[in-house]
Amino acid sequence: MDVDLRKLRYFVAVAEELHFGRAAARLHIAQPVLSRQIRALEGELRAQLFVRDKRSTALTEAGRRLLEDARPLLASAEALRRRVATAARGTFTVGFMPGLTVTDAVRDLTARHPEVAVELLRTTWEDQIEVLHDGRADVSLVRLPIDRRGLSVRPLFSEPRVAVLRADHRLAGKESVRVADLAAEHLLNHPDAVPEWRDVATRLRDGTAPPWREFRSVEEKLEHVAAGQGIAVVPLSTSAYYTRPDVVCVPVEDLPPNEVCLAWVASRRSPLVFAFTEACVRYNRIAE
């Protein structure tokens, strides 16, 4: 039996909304049409997916299992569509994290493959591998740690990490600091991103730390540092790229370096992926 992806999309909308009317509005189709499609899917699968009455809609056990499998299947289908569309346009997309530059490797690739148009996509800690799985990028320069499942990962280089402090911070004049010196500070990074700080953080231990909030960019994080609302730990290249007079960067002696790698979907066998990988090897002096 072939699974109809359109019916799966309809099913996921209903499963997430648990309301046929809202799901139909989200899909921009009439509710009776949606109901017929769900019944048809249940017939094809020979399983009841929803328990429905006048007041509520709930997933059955079969429906919950289908939802678990349908989401990644639809995501893979969308990623495939994007990759095919990108190939048809003759483009190759490179993702990169803040502070990293890909200029030399891109020039190398375009010199060897002048028929290819290279597009660049700036990523964040939250989406640096998501752009690979969903097809927005062909390769991505990432900062570890990442979830490596389904990916090929090639180490590039490592670099020290520094603490970004307000210019008048008590530690701003130090040549270097240790993690213990930062124990009483409010860290703007997610605690799991700097586990060495998390393990000694005073306010995490006594429960007085404010809730962590997600920042959409390095610039936004630096604004909070400059306003005296906390400190940040960033790789050296990021601190060098985003210089400003109201913050200073101090090396942290006992933090392990940040590892920079090139990543791509493991199942891909594109010659352009391997050509770009080799260009990155040449320009980043990777230790084999």
Side-chain angles (χ1 to χ4, degrees):
M1 179 194 70
D2 294 328
V3 178
D4 186 333
L5 293 180
R6 182 184 60 177
K7 291 192 183 77
L8 275 186
R9 282 192 288 270
Y10 290 174
F11 162 76
V12 169
V14 178
E16 291 179 345
E17 299 289 346
L18 291 179
H19 190 282
F20 275 74
R22 289 195 298 269
R26 169 175 153 183
L27 295 165
H28 305 290
I29 62 174
Q31 184 174 335
V33 173
L34 177 59
S35 296
R36 286 197 298 272
Q37 292 295 317
I38 295 300
R39 285 196 299 270
L41 179 61
E42 289 178 322
E44 292 168 5
L45 296 176
R46 299 180 182 178
Q48 183 178 0
L49 303 174
F50 296 99
V51 177
R52 184 181 180 190
D53 58 32
K54 292 182 179 179
R55 292 183 297 179
S56 65
T57 299
L59 283 165
T60 64
E61 183 58 37
R64 284 189 287 272
R65 174 56 63 85
L66 180 60
L67 182 60
E68 291 177 6
D69 293 337
R71 282 171 168 156
L73 179 60
L74 290 174
S76 295
E78 177 61 17
L80 174 63
R81 184 196 66 77
R82 282 178 173 153
R83 291 187 186 111
V84 170
T86 297
R89 295 196 307 269
T91 59
F92 182 80
T93 302
V94 178
F96 64 98
M97 284 285 283
L100 301 178
T101 58
V102 295
T103 307
D104 289 336
V106 168
R107 286 176 176 170
D108 186 294
L109 182 68
T110 54
R112 295 169 185 270
H113 298 273
E115 77 284 1
V116 175
V118 178
E119 295 181 353
L120 302 176
L121 175 65
R122 183 181 180 228
T123 61
T124 67
W125 283 104
E126 286 69 38
D127 68 1
Q128 60 175 335
I129 63 170
E130 180 182 314
V131 299
L132 297 171
H133 291 302
D134 68 16
R136 281 180 285 165
D138 295 284
V139 295
S140 187
L141 269 75
V142 300
R143 295 189 184 276
L144 301 186
I146 60 171
D147 183 349
R148 298 180 181 229
R149 287 177 294 182
L151 299 176
S152 292
V153 178
R154 182 72 177 266
L156 294 180
F157 59 88
S158 62
E159 57 177 327
R161 289 188 287 173
V162 300
V164 185
L165 315 170
R166 182 170 162 164
D168 59 358
H169 191 279
R170 61 184 176 85
L171 299 173
K174 299 284 188 180
E175 290 187 6
S176 65
V177 296
R178 299 182 66 82
V179 173
D181 298 325
L182 308 174
E185 303 293 334
H186 173 50
L187 186 70
L188 299 177
N189 305 69
H190 191 288
D192 290 345
V194 192
E196 300 83 2
W197 174 87
R198 181 194 61 204
D199 294 341
V200 301
T202 305
R203 298 174 75 182
L204 284 181
R205 289 182 174 182
D206 63 21
T208 61
W212 177 79
R213 56 159 292 185
E214 181 178 323
F215 294 94
R216 292 168 293 180
S217 66
V218 176
E219 294 92 335
E220 186 178 357
K221 191 177 292 183
L222 294 181
E223 285 292 335
H224 283 74
V225 172
Q229 297 179 10
I231 68 168
V233 172
V234 302
L236 181 61
S237 62
T238 303
S239 70
Y241 192 82
Y242 294 94
T243 57
R244 48 186 294 170
D246 48 3
V247 302
V248 297
C249 300
V250 180
V252 185
E253 296 175 7
D254 50 347
L255 278 182
N258 176 244
E259 303 291 336
V260 176
C261 300
L262 186 69
W264 63 94
V265 173
S267 60
R268 298 206 62 194
R269 295 293 183 268
S270 166
L272 290 176
V273 169
F274 296 116
F276 188 77
T277 301
E278 293 309 309
C280 286
V281 168
R282 285 190 289 275
Y283 288 103
N284 288 286
R285 300 185 302 278
I286 301 173
E288 297 292 346

